[in-house]
Amino acid sequence: FPEMLSNPKLVLVQGTLNVVMKQNVTLSCLSEPGSPPVRYTLFKHNQQVSALNRSDLTPALFTLTISSASDVGEYKCKAEYNNSRGGKYSNSLNFTLIEPISKPVLSSPTSQAKKGQNVTLSCFSENGSLPITYLFFRGTQNISPQKTMQKREAAVIFLFINSLSDFGTYKCKANNSFPNNTKYSNGFNFTLAEERSHSQPLIISLGLILLLLIIGFALAIPFFIIPLYKASE
């Protein structure tokens, strides 16, 4: 009598669970103990993908090519004897498709700033598999710890404009688990806002007072100056 099959083990022997398009992966399925011959069937979401017969105790190897988004998801294998009903199912392996990120956009609510002002910068990649990690620079200098975003939202940092050197060119970079896929943003510069002089309001006030005096003098001529002039004749 054949030895009773155990639940087979499904193992990834080539590739990774985070896959990119057109990537090849190889899965190994083996039930031990068991008495050959054994039939191994690979399933994806309960749909049969492939089947192999093994006449010895070597594992069944299934090679897959990820050619579309429908090729990712949960895989299991089934081990059974050819002349028996039922069978035993393996653990599952879940493949996730990773996509490259798009070029991030660096922006700020304001483009003008002055010394002593707090400003914000945000960096956002619209496309790409999550999570996405962002890093901010001024020139070539890193100005913040990296920020890893688990949701499709921008990474934001807060800056204090303290000197003229803080008006340099800012950039950010973004990457995810897609291999060799670091992208850099556009450059962003704050322009120095013109600071109004403290004496400017005083000058404006004095000018208004002078203008009112001139208007008042002009209005007084018909009522006071001319009658006084006629009375003196």
Side-chain angles (χ1 to χ4, degrees):
F1 293 97
E3 188 175 358
M4 182 175 292
L5 285 170
S6 62
N7 290 89
K9 290 183 179 179
L10 186 64
V11 180
L12 182 67
V13 294
Q14 179 189 348
T16 60
L17 292 178
N18 291 327
V19 293
V20 299
M21 206 67 75
K22 298 182 180 179
Q23 180 179 336
N24 292 328
V25 294
T26 301
L27 302 175
S28 166
C29 185
L30 178 63
S31 177
E32 53 180 4
S35 299
V38 177
R39 180 176 177 83
Y40 294 98
T41 306
L42 184 68
F43 293 89
K44 180 178 71 67
H45 296 308
N46 299 320
Q47 292 185 344
Q48 181 175 329
V49 175
S50 182
L52 293 172
N53 291 317
R54 280 291 176 263
S55 58
D56 53 23
L57 293 176
T58 59
L61 298 178
F62 300 96
T63 298
L64 308 173
T65 301
I66 306 300
S67 56
S68 68
S70 63
D71 293 328
V72 299
E74 185 183 70
Y75 285 80
K76 286 185 177 182
C77 73
K78 178 184 178 182
E80 60 187 333
Y81 291 123
N82 288 333
N83 298 323
S84 66
R85 293 182 179 181
K88 296 293 184 68
Y89 286 89
S90 73
N91 57 297
S92 62
L93 292 178
N94 203 330
F95 289 97
T96 302
L97 183 66
I98 57 174
E99 298 176 317
I101 55 175
S102 57
K103 180 179 178 179
V105 175
L106 184 65
S107 61
S108 175
T110 179
S111 60
Q112 290 189 332
K114 57 187 179 181
K115 286 191 287 185
Q117 181 179 343
N118 290 309
V119 294
T120 61
L121 280 173
S122 64
C123 186
F124 180 64
S125 286
E126 186 174 357
N127 299 311
S129 303
L130 297 171
I132 298 177
T133 299
Y134 297 93
L135 199 59
F136 292 82
F137 298 88
R138 183 177 61 245
T140 58
Q141 181 182 4
N142 174 17
I143 58 172
S144 74
Q146 67 179 20
K147 294 180 175 289
T148 300
M149 311 304 293
Q150 304 289 342
K151 298 181 180 180
R152 186 75 60 189
E153 58 188 16
V156 178
I157 62 169
F158 300 90
L159 301 173
F160 179 71
I161 302 299
N162 191 43
S163 64
L164 291 177
S165 63
D166 295 327
F167 289 91
T169 300
Y170 292 85
K171 283 189 176 184
C172 67
K173 74 174 182 179
N175 58 57
N176 61 0
S177 56
F178 194 93
N180 303 318
N181 185 48
T182 298
K183 297 287 182 65
Y184 285 86
S185 73
N186 54 294
F188 185 90
N189 290 80
F190 292 103
T191 56
L192 181 62
E194 293 184 4
E195 298 189 19
R196 299 178 62 179
S197 171
H198 294 295
S199 62
Q200 192 173 8
L202 179 61
I203 294 174
I204 294 174
S205 299
L206 291 175
L208 289 173
I209 293 172
L210 181 61
L211 179 62
L212 291 174
L213 289 174
I214 293 172
I215 294 173
F217 182 75
L219 293 174
I221 289 176
F223 298 100
F224 298 101
I225 306 297
I226 293 177
L228 289 174
Y229 179 73
K230 289 183 177 180
S232 64
E233 289 182 349

